[in-house]
Amino acid sequence: MKNEGKKGDENFDFDLIVIGGGPAGYTAAIHARQHSLTTALVEERELGGTCLNRGCIPTKALIDVANVLRTIRDAAKRGLDFTGADPSKFGVKMPDILKSKERMVKKMTTGIAVLLRENNVTTLSGTASLTVPKTAGEPFVVTVTKDGNSKQYKSRKVILATGSVPSELAIRGADSPKLADRIFNSDAMLDINFVPEKLIVIGGGVIGIELAQVFHEFGSKVQIVEMQSSLVNSILDTEIEDALKKSLNARGIVVRTDASIESIESTESGLRLNLTDGEKIEGTHILSAIGRKPDRRILDAIGVTETFVNVDERMRTKIPGLFAVGDINGQCMLAHAAMRMGRIAAISTGDELLGEQAGFEPELETLRRETTRYPELIAELFPFYSPIVIYGEPEVACIGLPEKLARQRFGNDIKVGHFPMAANGRAVASCSQEGFVKVVRCESNDRLIGVQIIGSYASEIINEASAVFFTATPLRQLQQALHAHPTFGEAFVEAVADSRGEAVHIPPKK
Ligand code: NAI
């Protein structure tokens, strides 16, 4: 497709400039080209943003290596003969693991460059700064600077997709120079070429839990220290959270919640955390996984004062013609949500420029209005409207409301079903019996209100739940769809059946 969009006005170099080449930005640029807008994308580092370079993809590469190691260690129990070798002593070569991870990342980022090129998006390499028009009709001016050279581009619209950076530890002692090579944020942790002996993970969120499992498998003694009473910002159903904690503990990963850290100090053997209740935790290294905050450079420069830039449902900021998508607006800091926001912003831009409805999610919005018994629930559900996955072994995945919130909202109209992985043929055959699926169903309209899963392949099963959720398919219809046997996904349908007392592969409830 040529970059042939709107032409004929010398005041503008592009219809749209997207700043930031992560999932939100590159998706926005590609969708904009699908609406024939002349589009440029500016990126100062590698394409792919946090997801491809410092987040989703590299962590999944490490988790996969950890799973291979675990599978090999357990393989002797399943009849494999490792004569002459003791699988329990198999270890890791971190520099080689990093090289392998880098190859995977490179393949993915190169793929994004190809996609942008094939869609005829003009990719500009450098750091962007932005000048907002003072009067309507004037262009946005994006200045792209690289190696001391700057060039200016004029655009009708701008989508900001500049992402987020790890939050810094604001704890007494954390900035001591003696600890500089012992405290890592999640970016740095993905590049360490050794296995810490005793790793303290500060923050029991998604990043903390995923990387705790990786380094535990690689041989670190790991403790997670979380200041709240629950893990993962309380988004999990209590039953699932308890099962996750139990699983982490059973493998030797210590989880401390309600832990408030007063200070960090260096010791002869490493470092010590002093908790406010007087407890002390010794370690050799710290992973700081306490959340992420928006990259504020452009926001500060254009005078946006909110921590996360406010946007409406079309991703419009208060500045006409300026959209903000992905982590920078704080609506839902997940790559798949970022891609959705990128699409919405591109379509909204198209609508504004082409003077027609380029198609702002009309089908989805209509569907939601028509099929949801409680339309106001939609607003409440965000970010629960997005599937959320914590990778590791087992995986945790959820969408919609956990039981407690669903009961608060719908009272006795809620029916709950469970199905244990231990009763799923594929899980048993794969030695993956840990975990269960929990379904929360609205009895009066037979719609799915929430699904929470802990177990192998939860990240795959959740996609079917998401399809049912977003299309508001009555669950009776889901049960009529034949599911292949044996598959992990059967556990989801059986959990739905259990919510009616109709599950086949577990005994009837007395
Ligand atoms: P998070 O917000 O999920 O978790 C941070 C945790 O740190 C919270 O539970 C918080 O209570 C705790 N915390 C903060 N300060 C603390 C302190 N001083 N002491 C002890 N605990 C403290 O942030 P996280 O894990 O850093 O992830 C950042 C973002 O990246 C999240 O929005 C997450 O959803 C996203 N992400 C998603 C992944 C996925 O979808 N699988 C993978 C990795 C990241």
PDB file of all heavy atoms in Angstrom, residues 292-326:
ATOM      1  N   ARG A 292       5.146   0.638  37.072  1.00  0.00           N
ATOM      2  CA  ARG A 292       5.727   1.461  36.020  1.00  0.00           C
ATOM      3  C   ARG A 292       5.026   2.821  35.991  1.00  0.00           C
ATOM      4  O   ARG A 292       3.902   2.954  36.460  1.00  0.00           O
ATOM      5  CB  ARG A 292       5.578   0.765  34.657  1.00  0.00           C
ATOM      6  CG  ARG A 292       6.318  -0.561  34.594  1.00  0.00           C
ATOM      7  CD  ARG A 292       6.131  -1.227  33.240  1.00  0.00           C
ATOM      8  NE  ARG A 292       6.745  -0.485  32.159  1.00  0.00           N
ATOM      9  CZ  ARG A 292       8.022  -0.609  31.778  1.00  0.00           C
ATOM     10  NH1 ARG A 292       8.820  -1.464  32.394  1.00  0.00           N
ATOM     11  NH2 ARG A 292       8.500   0.108  30.785  1.00  0.00           N
ATOM     12  N   LYS A 293       5.703   3.813  35.463  1.00  0.00           N
ATOM     13  CA  LYS A 293       5.121   5.160  35.388  1.00  0.00           C
ATOM     14  C   LYS A 293       5.322   5.686  33.966  1.00  0.00           C
ATOM     15  O   LYS A 293       6.238   5.238  33.268  1.00  0.00           O
ATOM     16  CB  LYS A 293       5.785   6.081  36.419  1.00  0.00           C
ATOM     17  CG  LYS A 293       7.270   6.162  36.245  1.00  0.00           C
ATOM     18  CD  LYS A 293       7.923   7.077  37.243  1.00  0.00           C
ATOM     19  CE  LYS A 293       9.393   7.231  36.873  1.00  0.00           C
ATOM     20  NZ  LYS A 293      10.168   8.077  37.695  1.00  0.00           N
ATOM     21  N   PRO A 294       4.471   6.637  33.536  1.00  0.00           N
ATOM     22  CA  PRO A 294       4.586   7.086  32.147  1.00  0.00           C
ATOM     23  C   PRO A 294       5.905   7.801  31.879  1.00  0.00           C
ATOM     24  O   PRO A 294       6.461   8.433  32.784  1.00  0.00           O
ATOM     25  CB  PRO A 294       3.412   8.052  31.989  1.00  0.00           C
ATOM     26  CG  PRO A 294       2.918   8.354  33.334  1.00  0.00           C
ATOM     27  CD  PRO A 294       3.379   7.290  34.263  1.00  0.00           C
ATOM     28  N   ASP A 295       6.379   7.661  30.656  1.00  0.00           N
ATOM     29  CA  ASP A 295       7.525   8.447  30.204  1.00  0.00           C
ATOM     30  C   ASP A 295       7.000   9.872  30.032  1.00  0.00           C
ATOM     31  O   ASP A 295       6.179  10.142  29.149  1.00  0.00           O
ATOM     32  CB  ASP A 295       8.020   7.878  28.866  1.00  0.00           C
ATOM     33  CG  ASP A 295       9.261   8.596  28.366  1.00  0.00           C
ATOM     34  OD1 ASP A 295       9.367   9.815  28.608  1.00  0.00           O
ATOM     35  OD2 ASP A 295      10.106   7.948  27.746  1.00  0.00           O
ATOM     36  N   ARG A 296       7.457  10.793  30.872  1.00  0.00           N
ATOM     37  CA  ARG A 296       6.812  12.110  30.944  1.00  0.00           C
ATOM     38  C   ARG A 296       7.491  13.190  30.097  1.00  0.00           C
ATOM     39  O   ARG A 296       7.073  14.348  30.104  1.00  0.00           O
ATOM     40  CB  ARG A 296       6.789  12.589  32.415  1.00  0.00           C
ATOM     41  CG  ARG A 296       5.847  11.785  33.301  1.00  0.00           C
ATOM     42  CD  ARG A 296       5.351  12.650  34.439  1.00  0.00           C
ATOM     43  NE  ARG A 296       4.830  13.913  33.984  1.00  0.00           N
ATOM     44  CZ  ARG A 296       3.562  14.122  33.604  1.00  0.00           C
ATOM     45  NH1 ARG A 296       2.689  13.156  33.630  1.00  0.00           N
ATOM     46  NH2 ARG A 296       3.162  15.323  33.193  1.00  0.00           N
ATOM     47  N   ARG A 297       8.532  12.838  29.357  1.00  0.00           N
ATOM     48  CA  ARG A 297       9.316  13.897  28.713  1.00  0.00           C
ATOM     49  C   ARG A 297       8.442  14.808  27.831  1.00  0.00           C
ATOM     50  O   ARG A 297       8.472  16.024  27.978  1.00  0.00           O
ATOM     51  CB  ARG A 297      10.448  13.283  27.883  1.00  0.00           C
ATOM     52  CG  ARG A 297      11.574  12.713  28.752  1.00  0.00           C
ATOM     53  CD  ARG A 297      12.563  11.965  27.921  1.00  0.00           C
ATOM     54  NE  ARG A 297      11.966  10.781  27.308  1.00  0.00           N
ATOM     55  CZ  ARG A 297      12.525  10.062  26.344  1.00  0.00           C
ATOM     56  NH1 ARG A 297      13.710  10.409  25.876  1.00  0.00           N
ATOM     57  NH2 ARG A 297      11.927   9.003  25.856  1.00  0.00           N
ATOM     58  N   ILE A 298       7.649  14.206  26.947  1.00  0.00           N
ATOM     59  CA  ILE A 298       6.838  15.052  26.051  1.00  0.00           C
ATOM     60  C   ILE A 298       5.672  15.676  26.823  1.00  0.00           C
ATOM     61  O   ILE A 298       5.332  16.839  26.641  1.00  0.00           O
ATOM     62  CB  ILE A 298       6.356  14.247  24.829  1.00  0.00           C
ATOM     63  CG1 ILE A 298       7.563  13.954  23.935  1.00  0.00           C
ATOM     64  CG2 ILE A 298       5.265  15.005  24.062  1.00  0.00           C
ATOM     65  CD1 ILE A 298       7.246  13.216  22.661  1.00  0.00           C
ATOM     66  N   LEU A 299       5.075  14.899  27.752  1.00  0.00           N
ATOM     67  CA  LEU A 299       3.948  15.434  28.526  1.00  0.00           C
ATOM     68  C   LEU A 299       4.375  16.690  29.272  1.00  0.00           C
ATOM     69  O   LEU A 299       3.668  17.707  29.266  1.00  0.00           O
ATOM     70  CB  LEU A 299       3.438  14.383  29.524  1.00  0.00           C
ATOM     71  CG  LEU A 299       2.858  13.090  28.938  1.00  0.00           C
ATOM     72  CD1 LEU A 299       2.354  12.190  30.050  1.00  0.00           C
ATOM     73  CD2 LEU A 299       1.735  13.406  27.966  1.00  0.00           C
ATOM     74  N   ASP A 300       5.539  16.630  29.933  1.00  0.00           N
ATOM     75  CA  ASP A 300       6.027  17.809  30.674  1.00  0.00           C
ATOM     76  C   ASP A 300       6.256  18.981  29.721  1.00  0.00           C
ATOM     77  O   ASP A 300       5.903  20.119  30.020  1.00  0.00           O
ATOM     78  CB  ASP A 300       7.327  17.472  31.419  1.00  0.00           C
ATOM     79  CG  ASP A 300       7.064  16.566  32.620  1.00  0.00           C
ATOM     80  OD1 ASP A 300       5.904  16.527  33.077  1.00  0.00           O
ATOM     81  OD2 ASP A 300       8.008  15.899  33.084  1.00  0.00           O
ATOM     82  N   ALA A 301       6.844  18.674  28.568  1.00  0.00           N
ATOM     83  CA  ALA A 301       7.198  19.751  27.630  1.00  0.00           C
ATOM     84  C   ALA A 301       5.957  20.465  27.086  1.00  0.00           C
ATOM     85  O   ALA A 301       6.006  21.662  26.793  1.00  0.00           O
ATOM     86  CB  ALA A 301       8.028  19.182  26.481  1.00  0.00           C
ATOM     87  N   ILE A 302       4.838  19.725  26.956  1.00  0.00           N
ATOM     88  CA  ILE A 302       3.641  20.396  26.393  1.00  0.00           C
ATOM     89  C   ILE A 302       2.664  20.810  27.491  1.00  0.00           C
ATOM     90  O   ILE A 302       1.545  21.230  27.218  1.00  0.00           O
ATOM     91  CB  ILE A 302       2.931  19.528  25.329  1.00  0.00           C
ATOM     92  CG1 ILE A 302       2.418  18.205  25.928  1.00  0.00           C
ATOM     93  CG2 ILE A 302       3.834  19.280  24.132  1.00  0.00           C
ATOM     94  CD1 ILE A 302       1.590  17.383  24.956  1.00  0.00           C
ATOM     95  N   GLY A 303       3.090  20.661  28.757  1.00  0.00           N
ATOM     96  CA  GLY A 303       2.300  21.202  29.864  1.00  0.00           C
ATOM     97  C   GLY A 303       1.165  20.319  30.347  1.00  0.00           C
ATOM     98  O   GLY A 303       0.210  20.810  30.936  1.00  0.00           O
ATOM     99  N   VAL A 304       1.259  18.998  30.099  1.00  0.00           N
ATOM    100  CA  VAL A 304       0.243  18.089  30.652  1.00  0.00           C
ATOM    101  C   VAL A 304       0.672  17.755  32.082  1.00  0.00           C
ATOM    102  O   VAL A 304       1.777  17.255  32.299  1.00  0.00           O
ATOM    103  CB  VAL A 304       0.140  16.783  29.819  1.00  0.00           C
ATOM    104  CG1 VAL A 304      -0.791  15.783  30.491  1.00  0.00           C
ATOM    105  CG2 VAL A 304      -0.349  17.088  28.413  1.00  0.00           C
ATOM    106  N   THR A 305      -0.208  18.057  33.047  1.00  0.00           N
ATOM    107  CA  THR A 305       0.226  17.901  34.437  1.00  0.00           C
ATOM    108  C   THR A 305      -0.238  16.598  35.092  1.00  0.00           C
ATOM    109  O   THR A 305       0.332  16.169  36.079  1.00  0.00           O
ATOM    110  CB  THR A 305      -0.284  19.081  35.304  1.00  0.00           C
ATOM    111  OG1 THR A 305      -1.682  19.206  35.072  1.00  0.00           O
ATOM    112  CG2 THR A 305       0.416  20.374  34.956  1.00  0.00           C
ATOM    113  N   GLU A 306      -1.302  15.967  34.552  1.00  0.00           N
ATOM    114  CA  GLU A 306      -1.760  14.727  35.186  1.00  0.00           C
ATOM    115  C   GLU A 306      -0.655  13.675  35.112  1.00  0.00           C
ATOM    116  O   GLU A 306       0.104  13.630  34.136  1.00  0.00           O
ATOM    117  CB  GLU A 306      -2.994  14.147  34.475  1.00  0.00           C
ATOM    118  CG  GLU A 306      -4.101  15.105  34.155  1.00  0.00           C
ATOM    119  CD  GLU A 306      -4.197  15.410  32.661  1.00  0.00           C
ATOM    120  OE1 GLU A 306      -3.957  14.533  31.831  1.00  0.00           O
ATOM    121  OE2 GLU A 306      -4.526  16.569  32.353  1.00  0.00           O
ATOM    122  N   THR A 307      -0.624  12.763  36.108  1.00  0.00           N
ATOM    123  CA  THR A 307       0.401  11.709  36.116  1.00  0.00           C
ATOM    124  C   THR A 307       0.293  10.879  34.841  1.00  0.00           C
ATOM    125  O   THR A 307       1.267  10.664  34.117  1.00  0.00           O
ATOM    126  CB  THR A 307       0.206  10.792  37.345  1.00  0.00           C
ATOM    127  OG1 THR A 307       0.095  11.615  38.473  1.00  0.00           O
ATOM    128  CG2 THR A 307       1.367   9.830  37.504  1.00  0.00           C
ATOM    129  N   PHE A 308      -0.913  10.368  34.596  1.00  0.00           N
ATOM    130  CA  PHE A 308      -1.187   9.691  33.330  1.00  0.00           C
ATOM    131  C   PHE A 308      -2.078  10.638  32.536  1.00  0.00           C
ATOM    132  O   PHE A 308      -3.013  11.216  33.095  1.00  0.00           O
ATOM    133  CB  PHE A 308      -1.939   8.375  33.561  1.00  0.00           C
ATOM    134  CG  PHE A 308      -1.102   7.301  34.192  1.00  0.00           C
ATOM    135  CD1 PHE A 308      -1.144   7.079  35.563  1.00  0.00           C
ATOM    136  CD2 PHE A 308      -0.273   6.506  33.414  1.00  0.00           C
ATOM    137  CE1 PHE A 308      -0.380   6.090  36.142  1.00  0.00           C
ATOM    138  CE2 PHE A 308       0.492   5.508  33.989  1.00  0.00           C
ATOM    139  CZ  PHE A 308       0.446   5.295  35.358  1.00  0.00           C
ATOM    140  N   VAL A 309      -1.800  10.782  31.237  1.00  0.00           N
ATOM    141  CA  VAL A 309      -2.583  11.738  30.456  1.00  0.00           C
ATOM    142  C   VAL A 309      -4.020  11.232  30.311  1.00  0.00           C
ATOM    143  O   VAL A 309      -4.254  10.069  29.989  1.00  0.00           O
ATOM    144  CB  VAL A 309      -1.903  12.015  29.085  1.00  0.00           C
ATOM    145  CG1 VAL A 309      -1.649  10.745  28.313  1.00  0.00           C
ATOM    146  CG2 VAL A 309      -2.729  12.975  28.248  1.00  0.00           C
ATOM    147  N   ASN A 310      -4.976  12.118  30.595  1.00  0.00           N
ATOM    148  CA  ASN A 310      -6.398  11.755  30.492  1.00  0.00           C
ATOM    149  C   ASN A 310      -6.819  11.652  29.030  1.00  0.00           C
ATOM    150  O   ASN A 310      -6.467  12.514  28.228  1.00  0.00           O
ATOM    151  CB  ASN A 310      -7.278  12.830  31.155  1.00  0.00           C
ATOM    152  CG  ASN A 310      -7.178  12.760  32.660  1.00  0.00           C
ATOM    153  OD1 ASN A 310      -6.951  11.687  33.221  1.00  0.00           O
ATOM    154  ND2 ASN A 310      -7.347  13.888  33.322  1.00  0.00           N
ATOM    155  N   VAL A 311      -7.575  10.598  28.741  1.00  0.00           N
ATOM    156  CA  VAL A 311      -8.121  10.462  27.387  1.00  0.00           C
ATOM    157  C   VAL A 311      -9.593  10.066  27.494  1.00  0.00           C
ATOM    158  O   VAL A 311     -10.025   9.532  28.517  1.00  0.00           O
ATOM    159  CB  VAL A 311      -7.385   9.378  26.558  1.00  0.00           C
ATOM    160  CG1 VAL A 311      -5.972   9.810  26.209  1.00  0.00           C
ATOM    161  CG2 VAL A 311      -7.382   8.021  27.262  1.00  0.00           C
ATOM    162  N   ASP A 312     -10.347  10.325  26.411  1.00  0.00           N
ATOM    163  CA  ASP A 312     -11.734   9.859  26.387  1.00  0.00           C
ATOM    164  C   ASP A 312     -11.793   8.479  25.723  1.00  0.00           C
ATOM    165  O   ASP A 312     -10.751   7.873  25.463  1.00  0.00           O
ATOM    166  CB  ASP A 312     -12.645  10.892  25.701  1.00  0.00           C
ATOM    167  CG  ASP A 312     -12.326  11.059  24.219  1.00  0.00           C
ATOM    168  OD1 ASP A 312     -11.501  10.278  23.676  1.00  0.00           O
ATOM    169  OD2 ASP A 312     -12.891  11.970  23.587  1.00  0.00           O
ATOM    170  N   GLU A 313     -12.999   7.998  25.419  1.00  0.00           N
ATOM    171  CA  GLU A 313     -13.121   6.628  24.902  1.00  0.00           C
ATOM    172  C   GLU A 313     -12.542   6.489  23.498  1.00  0.00           C
ATOM    173  O   GLU A 313     -12.302   5.389  23.028  1.00  0.00           O
ATOM    174  CB  GLU A 313     -14.584   6.151  24.957  1.00  0.00           C
ATOM    175  CG  GLU A 313     -15.534   6.733  23.927  1.00  0.00           C
ATOM    176  CD  GLU A 313     -15.916   8.201  24.190  1.00  0.00           C
ATOM    177  OE1 GLU A 313     -15.514   8.759  25.236  1.00  0.00           O
ATOM    178  OE2 GLU A 313     -16.607   8.798  23.341  1.00  0.00           O
ATOM    179  N   ARG A 314     -12.294   7.625  22.821  1.00  0.00           N
ATOM    180  CA  ARG A 314     -11.653   7.587  21.505  1.00  0.00           C
ATOM    181  C   ARG A 314     -10.153   7.877  21.591  1.00  0.00           C
ATOM    182  O   ARG A 314      -9.515   8.153  20.598  1.00  0.00           O
ATOM    183  CB  ARG A 314     -12.301   8.598  20.577  1.00  0.00           C
ATOM    184  CG  ARG A 314     -13.652   8.152  20.049  1.00  0.00           C
ATOM    185  CD  ARG A 314     -14.296   9.262  19.246  1.00  0.00           C
ATOM    186  NE  ARG A 314     -15.481   8.763  18.574  1.00  0.00           N
ATOM    187  CZ  ARG A 314     -15.554   8.569  17.258  1.00  0.00           C
ATOM    188  NH1 ARG A 314     -14.522   8.838  16.489  1.00  0.00           N
ATOM    189  NH2 ARG A 314     -16.652   8.110  16.722  1.00  0.00           N
ATOM    190  N   MET A 315      -9.636   7.908  22.796  1.00  0.00           N
ATOM    191  CA  MET A 315      -8.203   8.137  23.050  1.00  0.00           C
ATOM    192  C   MET A 315      -7.789   9.577  22.758  1.00  0.00           C
ATOM    193  O   MET A 315      -6.621   9.875  22.526  1.00  0.00           O
ATOM    194  CB  MET A 315      -7.299   7.176  22.236  1.00  0.00           C
ATOM    195  CG  MET A 315      -7.610   5.716  22.470  1.00  0.00           C
ATOM    196  SD  MET A 315      -7.280   5.243  24.177  1.00  0.00           S
ATOM    197  CE  MET A 315      -8.728   4.291  24.573  1.00  0.00           C
ATOM    198  N   ARG A 316      -8.780  10.528  22.779  1.00  0.00           N
ATOM    199  CA  ARG A 316      -8.477  11.945  22.557  1.00  0.00           C
ATOM    200  C   ARG A 316      -8.028  12.593  23.854  1.00  0.00           C
ATOM    201  O   ARG A 316      -8.676  12.389  24.899  1.00  0.00           O
ATOM    202  CB  ARG A 316      -9.713  12.693  22.044  1.00  0.00           C
ATOM    203  CG  ARG A 316     -10.132  12.283  20.659  1.00  0.00           C
ATOM    204  CD  ARG A 316     -11.376  13.026  20.233  1.00  0.00           C
ATOM    205  NE  ARG A 316     -12.535  12.578  20.974  1.00  0.00           N
ATOM    206  CZ  ARG A 316     -13.780  12.556  20.484  1.00  0.00           C
ATOM    207  NH1 ARG A 316     -14.007  12.976  19.265  1.00  0.00           N
ATOM    208  NH2 ARG A 316     -14.781  12.131  21.210  1.00  0.00           N
ATOM    209  N   THR A 317      -6.963  13.392  23.795  1.00  0.00           N
ATOM    210  CA  THR A 317      -6.576  14.182  24.961  1.00  0.00           C
ATOM    211  C   THR A 317      -7.369  15.490  24.912  1.00  0.00           C
ATOM    212  O   THR A 317      -8.164  15.703  23.992  1.00  0.00           O
ATOM    213  CB  THR A 317      -5.075  14.523  24.942  1.00  0.00           C
ATOM    214  OG1 THR A 317      -4.839  15.404  23.843  1.00  0.00           O
ATOM    215  CG2 THR A 317      -4.212  13.273  24.793  1.00  0.00           C
ATOM    216  N   LYS A 318      -7.099  16.370  25.888  1.00  0.00           N
ATOM    217  CA  LYS A 318      -7.809  17.649  25.881  1.00  0.00           C
ATOM    218  C   LYS A 318      -7.330  18.554  24.746  1.00  0.00           C
ATOM    219  O   LYS A 318      -7.992  19.510  24.357  1.00  0.00           O
ATOM    220  CB  LYS A 318      -7.597  18.360  27.228  1.00  0.00           C
ATOM    221  CG  LYS A 318      -8.599  17.896  28.277  1.00  0.00           C
ATOM    222  CD  LYS A 318      -8.464  18.691  29.543  1.00  0.00           C
ATOM    223  CE  LYS A 318      -7.445  18.053  30.388  1.00  0.00           C
ATOM    224  NZ  LYS A 318      -7.130  18.306  31.670  1.00  0.00           N
ATOM    225  N   ILE A 319      -6.129  18.244  24.200  1.00  0.00           N
ATOM    226  CA  ILE A 319      -5.587  19.078  23.113  1.00  0.00           C
ATOM    227  C   ILE A 319      -6.157  18.570  21.789  1.00  0.00           C
ATOM    228  O   ILE A 319      -5.942  17.400  21.431  1.00  0.00           O
ATOM    229  CB  ILE A 319      -4.036  18.991  23.106  1.00  0.00           C
ATOM    230  CG1 ILE A 319      -3.497  19.522  24.438  1.00  0.00           C
ATOM    231  CG2 ILE A 319      -3.449  19.721  21.908  1.00  0.00           C
ATOM    232  CD1 ILE A 319      -2.025  19.279  24.659  1.00  0.00           C
ATOM    233  N   PRO A 320      -6.923  19.398  21.056  1.00  0.00           N
ATOM    234  CA  PRO A 320      -7.537  18.921  19.812  1.00  0.00           C
ATOM    235  C   PRO A 320      -6.487  18.346  18.858  1.00  0.00           C
ATOM    236  O   PRO A 320      -5.431  18.946  18.645  1.00  0.00           O
ATOM    237  CB  PRO A 320      -8.174  20.187  19.224  1.00  0.00           C
ATOM    238  CG  PRO A 320      -8.350  21.108  20.382  1.00  0.00           C
ATOM    239  CD  PRO A 320      -7.235  20.810  21.336  1.00  0.00           C
ATOM    240  N   GLY A 321      -6.771  17.162  18.341  1.00  0.00           N
ATOM    241  CA  GLY A 321      -5.869  16.543  17.362  1.00  0.00           C
ATOM    242  C   GLY A 321      -4.767  15.695  17.987  1.00  0.00           C
ATOM    243  O   GLY A 321      -4.017  15.035  17.274  1.00  0.00           O
ATOM    244  N   LEU A 322      -4.663  15.724  19.312  1.00  0.00           N
ATOM    245  CA  LEU A 322      -3.621  14.933  19.980  1.00  0.00           C
ATOM    246  C   LEU A 322      -4.262  13.751  20.715  1.00  0.00           C
ATOM    247  O   LEU A 322      -5.149  13.943  21.555  1.00  0.00           O
ATOM    248  CB  LEU A 322      -2.851  15.798  20.984  1.00  0.00           C
ATOM    249  CG  LEU A 322      -1.733  15.068  21.753  1.00  0.00           C
ATOM    250  CD1 LEU A 322      -0.585  14.694  20.818  1.00  0.00           C
ATOM    251  CD2 LEU A 322      -1.197  15.941  22.892  1.00  0.00           C
ATOM    252  N   PHE A 323      -3.819  12.558  20.382  1.00  0.00           N
ATOM    253  CA  PHE A 323      -4.329  11.325  20.993  1.00  0.00           C
ATOM    254  C   PHE A 323      -3.212  10.716  21.854  1.00  0.00           C
ATOM    255  O   PHE A 323      -2.037  10.974  21.628  1.00  0.00           O
ATOM    256  CB  PHE A 323      -4.715  10.321  19.898  1.00  0.00           C
ATOM    257  CG  PHE A 323      -5.808  10.823  18.984  1.00  0.00           C
ATOM    258  CD1 PHE A 323      -5.537  11.775  18.005  1.00  0.00           C
ATOM    259  CD2 PHE A 323      -7.107  10.358  19.110  1.00  0.00           C
ATOM    260  CE1 PHE A 323      -6.535  12.248  17.174  1.00  0.00           C
ATOM    261  CE2 PHE A 323      -8.117  10.812  18.280  1.00  0.00           C
ATOM    262  CZ  PHE A 323      -7.826  11.769  17.309  1.00  0.00           C
ATOM    263  N   ALA A 324      -3.584   9.903  22.831  1.00  0.00           N
ATOM    264  CA  ALA A 324      -2.557   9.253  23.665  1.00  0.00           C
ATOM    265  C   ALA A 324      -2.975   7.814  23.936  1.00  0.00           C
ATOM    266  O   ALA A 324      -4.076   7.570  24.423  1.00  0.00           O
ATOM    267  CB  ALA A 324      -2.373  10.012  24.976  1.00  0.00           C
ATOM    268  N   VAL A 325      -2.103   6.891  23.618  1.00  0.00           N
ATOM    269  CA  VAL A 325      -2.466   5.465  23.708  1.00  0.00           C
ATOM    270  C   VAL A 325      -1.379   4.659  24.431  1.00  0.00           C
ATOM    271  O   VAL A 325      -0.228   5.063  24.496  1.00  0.00           O
ATOM    272  CB  VAL A 325      -2.682   4.873  22.290  1.00  0.00           C
ATOM    273  CG1 VAL A 325      -3.907   5.476  21.648  1.00  0.00           C
ATOM    274  CG2 VAL A 325      -1.464   5.061  21.403  1.00  0.00           C
ATOM    275  N   GLY A 326      -1.793   3.532  24.973  1.00  0.00           N
ATOM    276  CA  GLY A 326      -0.835   2.636  25.627  1.00  0.00           C
ATOM    277  C   GLY A 326      -0.564   3.049  27.062  1.00  0.00           C
ATOM    278  O   GLY A 326      -1.357   3.761  27.700  1.00  0.00           O
TER     279      GLY A 326
END
